[in-house]
Amino acid sequence: MRRIWPWTFRGTGALVLAVACFVLASELGVAVLQYFGMLLVAVLIASVASLYLTRRSESVVRSLHPDVSTVGRETLVDVQVGVRTAVPTPAGSWHETLPKGLRGRAEGRFPALGSGLLGGVGGGSRTVDLSYTVTGMRRGIHSIGPLSVRSTDPFGLARRVTAFGQRTPVTVAPAIIDLAPLADFSGEAGGTLHTSTDQPGQGADNLVARPYAPGDSMRRIHWRASAHRDELMVRQEEQESTPEASVVLDLSALRWSVEALSAPGVDPGFETAVSVCVSVVARLVHDGYAVEVVDTDGTIIAERIEGGDTTEVEHLLVHVATLTARRDDHLPRLSRLFAGVMTGPVVVIVGRFDPGDADAIASVAHHSTLPLLFAIAPFGDALDRAADAGWRAGAVDPDGDISVAWAAVAGRGVRHVV
């Protein structure tokens, strides 16, 4: 915390006038001018003393509602300022420093306070409540602060600025866009569909794992058991009656700008892709699908989220708030993840997408009941080639409406691949 007592324009004028009175009193021999100059100096000292002896702020506590901000949506910030004062203090003003990732009007009037001499224990301690709203502008973790409180003495001669160094980190998650539901699928409505088992007494809370065998779906890997056994293990009892979906987000920096590799929130195309990802996950989970989010090489971005589990979707938002691109490019090898299996919807989200990429992932479409492909920057006839291979493909404009792109791609009817 730092305190500054700069003179106001009126105080500066009074100081100059006092100095002039001393000079003229010495030159002209007029004693009245010297007395007047001394009076001005006394008033200035009293003004500074009144600021120093009155209001003293000691702490700043901020709380956000909701706890996690979202790009494009408002968040309420409540600020509690702990204040101690022995004498009445005039009103002042306050200003909160906001980062580039947040936008809002964080300033206002700081209230006048009465005397705290009769405050009893605590010596006149009290709390001043301030509030304002901010809108998330850039995904990532940003810090609010410091808070500055400015006050003047009753004569308006001196000004005191108190700046508090405490900062509060704010997580700005990607925006979730409401998407239309998938039609005519088993996971569409009715909440979470329960997993059936092939062993009596076994259920979703008592998983049985077996060693991985060639052809097993990567989505069925039991990561906890794999870490314990030091080898890949899969869920033995899980049946395909559970509606499942996979969302593949290509994190390769080669398909985005260089900025996507360094920090979140700086590449518009990558930000659109992340927003598409969380929006699709929210839609599928709401429709009853168990969803896993992976990179193109199978690296887990988000663990399996059971159908209807909206709480885990909120956790996903926090998890991807700091997500950035990676250096390796694995899209051409995506087909290996789905080789030898038949699965539910597969949603692939990619940045730069050329005809060679369309040919490389063509086989994946034949292993999914609903293969969906969203490209932020398609080149040439890449989307047409993907469509010929069985994908329901479409482009997503970073400045466009994600829900319109979703409706155009996913709303073309149902295609079951056998």
Side-chain angles (χ1 to χ4, degrees):
M1 182 177 68
R2 58 186 178 89
R3 299 185 178 91
I4 308 172
W5 293 278
W7 298 111
T8 64
F9 180 77
R10 184 184 301 178
T12 302
L15 182 61
V16 171
L17 182 58
V19 173
C21 287
F22 288 128
V23 173
L24 292 175
S26 176
E27 293 291 335
L28 302 177
V30 181
V32 175
L33 292 176
Q34 187 174 9
Y35 293 139
F36 185 68
M38 294 176 63
L39 177 61
L40 287 175
V41 172
V43 171
L44 290 172
I45 293 175
S47 298
V48 174
S50 68
L51 291 176
Y52 180 77
L53 296 175
T54 55
R55 180 167 55 213
R56 184 179 70 185
S57 303
E58 296 182 331
S59 63
V60 174
V61 178
R62 301 180 184 89
S63 58
L64 282 74
H65 310 281
D67 295 337
V68 178
S69 180
T70 304
V71 173
R73 295 188 179 180
E74 289 190 344
T75 299
L76 176 64
V77 182
D78 288 330
V79 185
Q80 292 185 332
V81 185
V83 180
R84 294 169 59 90
T85 179
V87 296
T89 60
S93 62
W94 62 273
H95 172 77
E96 186 93 281
T97 302
L98 297 180
K100 293 182 179 180
L102 298 171
R103 183 179 64 188
R105 185 175 179 272
E107 58 186 17
R109 179 178 178 273
F110 200 87
L113 300 175
S115 174
L117 292 176
L118 301 179
V121 179
S125 298
R126 66 201 66 189
T127 300
V128 176
D129 295 320
L130 311 173
S131 65
Y132 58 93
T133 59
V134 294
T135 301
M137 303 301 296
R138 179 183 297 178
R139 183 176 59 91
I141 298 179
H142 312 281
S143 294
I144 295 178
L147 172 71
S148 299
V149 178
R150 184 177 65 179
S151 57
T152 58
D153 68 286
F155 300 105
L157 299 177
R159 179 176 59 240
R160 175 185 179 185
V161 179
T162 305
F164 301 89
Q166 297 101 317
R167 297 173 182 267
T168 301
V170 178
T171 300
V172 179
I176 288 187
I177 309 300
D178 291 333
L179 304 179
L182 295 174
D184 300 332
F185 273 82
S186 60
E188 173 189 345
T192 304
L193 301 184
H194 298 288
T195 302
S196 63
T197 63
D198 60 7
Q199 296 185 23
Q202 301 295 334
D205 293 331
N206 190 16
L207 298 177
V208 175
R210 62 168 174 79
Y212 174 85
D216 286 335
S217 171
M218 293 294 291
R219 295 175 296 101
R220 298 181 62 187
I221 291 180
H222 193 304
W223 296 104
R224 184 177 302 175
S226 298
H228 181 72
R229 297 284 188 88
D230 198 25
E231 64 175 324
L232 287 180
M233 306 291 291
V234 297
R235 302 180 185 92
Q236 170 67 25
E237 81 290 349
E238 189 170 339
Q239 298 292 313
E240 292 301 324
S241 59
T242 299
E244 295 182 334
S246 299
V247 177
V248 181
L249 176 59
D250 189 357
L251 298 181
S252 171
L254 296 178
R255 303 183 182 277
W256 313 101
S257 69
V258 178
E259 289 78 7
L261 187 66
S262 58
V266 293
D267 179 0
F270 189 71
E271 295 310 300
T272 300
V274 175
S275 183
V276 171
C277 175
V278 295
S279 299
V280 170
V281 171
R283 179 71 266 168
L284 293 174
V285 170
H286 182 272
D287 286 350
Y289 289 95
V291 183
E292 282 186 346
V293 184
V294 299
D295 196 356
T296 51
D297 64 347
T299 300
I300 298 295
I301 298 176
E303 293 288 352
R304 174 188 172 103
I305 302 176
E306 299 297 337
D309 193 347
T310 57
T311 300
E312 286 301 319
V313 175
E314 296 295 330
H315 292 166
L316 171 64
L317 287 178
V318 177
H319 177 68
V320 301
T322 56
L323 188 67
T324 57
R326 305 187 337 179
R327 296 187 181 277
D328 298 328
D329 183 16
H330 297 288
L331 183 63
R333 293 184 287 176
L334 178 63
S335 58
R336 299 181 183 181
L337 294 181
F338 301 95
V341 297
M342 191 65 195
T343 184
V346 174
V347 183
V348 177
I349 305 161
V350 65
R352 179 183 58 80
F353 187 70
D354 57 38
D357 298 324
D359 295 338
I361 66 172
S363 62
V364 178
H366 301 286
H367 296 275
S368 169
T369 58
L370 185 64
L372 303 177
L373 172 67
F374 295 92
I376 307 300
F379 284 87
D381 63 346
L383 294 181
D384 291 334
R385 289 197 183 189
D388 291 341
W391 289 96
R392 300 184 183 276
V396 182
D397 188 343
D399 297 324
D401 190 336
I402 294 176
S403 62
V404 173
W406 167 264
V409 174
R412 298 174 181 172
V414 179
R415 173 179 175 272
H416 294 276
V417 180
V418 293

